[in-house]
Amino acid sequence: MTTTAPAPLDISALLADGTHLIGGEWVPARTKSTIDVVNPATGAVLARVPRGTAEDIDDAVRAAEEALPAWRDTSPARRGELLYRWAELVREHDTAINELEAVEVGHPVGPSPIAARLTYLAGKADKILGHTLPTRSPDVLGMTLREPFGVVGAIIPWNAPGPMTVFNTAPAMAAGNTVVLKPAEDAPLTALYLARLALEAGIPPGVLNVVTGYGAEAGAALPSHPGIRKMSFTGSPATGSAVMTACARNLIPLQLELGGKSPQIVLPDADLTKAVPAIVRSIVMNSGQVCAAGSRLLVASSLHDQVVETLAERFRAVRVGLWHQQVDMGPLINARQEKRVLDYLAIGREEGAEVVVGGTKLTEVPYDSGYFVEPTLFDRVRPEMRIAQEEIFGPVLSVLTYEDEEEAVAIANGTRYGLTASIWTQDVSRAVRLARRVEAGQVAVNTVGDGGPTGSIGTPFGGYKNSGFGRSMGPDAVEDWTQVKAVIIDAGS
Ligand code: NAD
């Protein structure tokens, strides 16, 4: 592993130090307090962002309320044009966005889906349709209009700030809502930069506001603010439950995404040359800090030894390092996340699972100042073990075996989660049968997720069961941020 210094990324040229975006102005927190944003690979302070509180949230909601009437009444085609312009700027600034996200999250630089997704959402702005309603008289016309909710709020996590910002703001904006976004305290920089580009694209001041700060301070104030009409939240189940409680008190709807324990089901006829590399990538990407990470491998017992051997080789070959190096995986986001992953490694051992590869923290240079944990392969995992039930959010793959299809489905569905799943088989009938029976918001066959660069476009994303409800992206992504108004016109005399 090379230990060259990180390539310089001049964050001060991208963002004004210590400010967030309220009503088109870059302002400090009311209290003037700041939070240090730290590079998780080195511990170096990257930038300072405002430590916003309820007061800043209130300012942002007021700014969004002020911007609402004009944005709501802007023609959908014009809203779409402005979102397209935002997408174009994102494309032009692709390198800076990718590097910013890589350095604050700690993952290697890679291709970003943001501009393409934004383009997709921009195209939906002028395709929001209502219905005409059958009436009892030819003199009466009935119709439905789809109207925005008003000012909406979004709270996002640190693991993918770029995509999360776009998925949780652009659909709402396309529908004519104005937005207050609260990014995670560990990785708020990409969200701020994307908001800067939105402003530069001509999206009016106050349509997108970003308030940085801690969850208990700025975050908690957002869903309980009386001016907020709908929320989206992505993060942990515990915080999601707190946000849902606040929404219930405020009597507002919520779109919720709370992670997963996604199964990778390998059937006896699977093409292993295709499956194994994708399975490893799925758990190593972003150090496993991905809600859709394929963290449980369900392998037919006849294939077990062969699959574990091939996986072990691949796990040993995973290159771990800093974001600018040619690596597969970086550090975990912070000390708390590192402790969480190391605790689960201990729990897995205590439960009787066998560590085939990895299992410890990396401490030598260049890992000594960051939160690096080895990619870890656990074998002989049983479905009831905690490492097979709970979201670890780290580079930890649990291998479980099954005897027949019934058992595979029972294990796949045997957790509280239901976000994504993959099925690896060359038998189309089995693929169809299993895809229908697995409880997950997204089921991939012979691929993962939406299939990547050659996969499906605008794929709905969201969970079954405790993984949450509502979908970001997808054909209904924009409509989900509208409410239906029925209009009945009696034109008779
Ligand atoms: P978290 O749920 O506490 O934080 C997510 C977001 O919620 C952040 O912006 C945070 O500031 C905000 N927040 C925190 N407390 C809040 C409150 N009381 N009210 C409103 N907003 C609040 O998650 P975390 O502590 O960063 O990570 C803990 C675990 O959550 C991880 O280990 C992982 O298992 C899970 N997680 C899941 C996802 C996902 O994509 N589903 C993302 C991040 C973390």
Side-chain angles (χ1 to χ4, degrees):
M1 180 61 50
T2 55
T3 56
T4 46
L9 174 69
D10 186 3
I11 293 173
S12 62
L14 306 178
L15 295 168
D17 191 42
T19 62
H20 51 196
L21 183 64
I22 297 179
E25 303 288 333
W26 294 96
V27 293
R30 286 279 199 126
T31 61
K32 305 284 188 277
S33 299
T34 57
I35 299 171
D36 287 344
V37 181
V38 171
N39 180 337
T42 64
V45 175
L46 294 167
R48 293 174 316 144
V49 295
R51 180 175 169 175
T53 62
E55 277 189 297
D56 303 87
I57 290 289
D58 188 51
D59 289 345
V61 173
R62 283 172 201 276
E65 279 171 346
E66 223 168 279
L68 180 67
W71 184 246
R72 186 184 49 206
D73 293 343
T74 298
S75 82
R78 177 69 186 146
R79 286 203 299 264
E81 278 169 20
L82 290 168
L83 289 168
Y84 270 126
R85 179 72 193 122
W86 188 19
E88 276 168 26
L89 282 182
V90 166
R91 215 166 266 121
E92 283 167 29
H93 294 247
D94 195 43
T95 305
I97 294 166
N98 287 346
E99 290 190 355
L100 196 55
E101 183 175 284
V103 77
E104 68 172 337
V105 178
H107 62 62
V109 187
S112 165
I114 308 178
R117 305 280 165 90
L118 204 41
T119 304
Y120 173 85
L121 292 166
K124 296 194 77 65
D126 63 355
K127 295 169 191 69
I128 303 168
L129 304 176
H131 295 291
T132 50
L133 306 170
T135 55
R136 292 183 186 86
S137 155
D139 290 335
V140 176
L141 194 59
M143 68 182 95
T144 59
L145 308 177
R146 283 198 168 266
E147 297 187 337
F149 284 88
V151 178
V152 300
I155 298 175
I156 59 169
W158 40 262
N159 57 332
M164 293 284 176
T165 296
V166 167
F167 300 170
N168 289 286
T169 64
M173 288 156 67
N177 301 278
T178 55
V179 181
V180 177
L181 171 70
K182 210 298 282 174
E185 52 272 34
D186 288 292
L189 303 178
T190 313
L192 288 168
Y193 189 53
L194 286 167
R196 183 190 136 175
L197 296 180
L199 206 56
E200 280 175 27
I203 293 173
V207 171
L208 174 59
N209 306 274
V210 183
V211 176
T212 56
Y214 292 115
E217 297 174 356
L222 191 53
S224 48
H225 194 291
I228 294 294
R229 296 295 160 80
K230 181 174 175 175
M231 279 294 303
S232 75
F233 173 82
T234 305
S236 63
T239 309
S241 175
V243 169
M244 195 167 161
T245 303
C247 288
R249 287 207 184 97
N250 214 1
L251 295 173
I252 55 171
L254 167 69
Q255 184 175 299
L256 197 62
E257 202 269 89
L258 301 177
K261 195 70 190 173
S262 299
Q264 299 272 348
I265 307 172
V266 177
L267 295 174
D269 68 336
D271 175 355
L272 294 181
T273 53
K274 189 175 178 191
V276 170
I279 289 166
V280 175
R281 260 198 313 280
S282 170
I283 191 65
V284 160
M285 187 174 68
N286 205 3
S287 307
Q289 301 169 121
V290 178
C291 42
S295 52
R296 291 185 297 154
L297 176 63
L298 279 51
V299 60
S301 57
S302 59
L303 285 183
H304 170 269
D305 293 356
Q306 186 191 351
V307 167
V308 170
E309 201 174 303
T310 328
L311 275 174
E313 269 170 44
R314 291 249 167 201
F315 264 69
R316 287 190 197 99
V318 170
R319 300 160 301 174
V320 183
L322 275 58
W323 66 271
H324 63 290
Q325 298 169 327
Q326 292 295 311
V327 294
D328 306 304
M329 190 184 114
L332 298 165
I333 188 77
N334 56 28
R336 191 157 56 105
Q337 194 62 23
E338 182 185 88
K339 180 176 179 318
R340 177 187 171 97
V341 173
L342 293 174
D343 284 352
Y344 272 110
L345 296 183
I347 289 166
R349 286 188 175 98
E350 280 160 24
E351 288 179 313
E354 178 192 322
V355 175
V356 181
V357 181
T360 54
K361 176 174 166 53
L362 288 161
T363 50
E364 70 275 25
V365 175
Y367 309 120
D368 50 338
S369 342
Y371 308 107
F372 290 93
V373 172
E374 288 181 299
T376 299
L377 181 62
F378 268 123
D379 192 15
R380 315 221 171 269
V381 178
R382 291 189 310 277
E384 70 278 9
M385 288 181 180
R386 286 183 64 191
I387 58 167
Q389 289 290 328
E390 298 172 18
E391 186 180 53
I392 300 175
F393 229 56
V396 183
L397 180 63
S398 295
V399 180
L400 301 95
T401 52
Y402 65 84
E403 295 304 325
D404 56 28
E405 214 174 283
E406 273 316 301
E407 195 185 6
V409 171
I411 297 172
N413 292 342
T415 75
R416 64 190 288 206
Y417 292 108
L419 191 57
T420 68
S422 283
I423 297 161
W424 298 91
T425 179
Q426 298 182 68
D427 179 337
V428 177
S429 324
R430 292 185 96 176
V432 170
R433 203 163 51 233
L434 280 176
R436 286 199 188 277
R437 294 189 63 196
V438 170
E439 294 169 337
Q442 200 175 77
V443 180
V445 176
N446 294 331
T447 186
V448 292
D450 64 4
T454 57
S456 64
I457 296 166
T459 318
F461 187 76
Y464 277 28
K465 304 195 286 188
N466 285 178
S467 287
F469 42 77
R471 298 289 177 269
S472 58
M473 294 302 297
D476 305 322
V478 174
E479 275 83 354
D480 284 350
W481 290 92
T482 63
Q483 48 193 344
V484 174
K485 178 182 278 176
V487 177
I488 303 96
I489 304 167
D490 187 343
S493 45

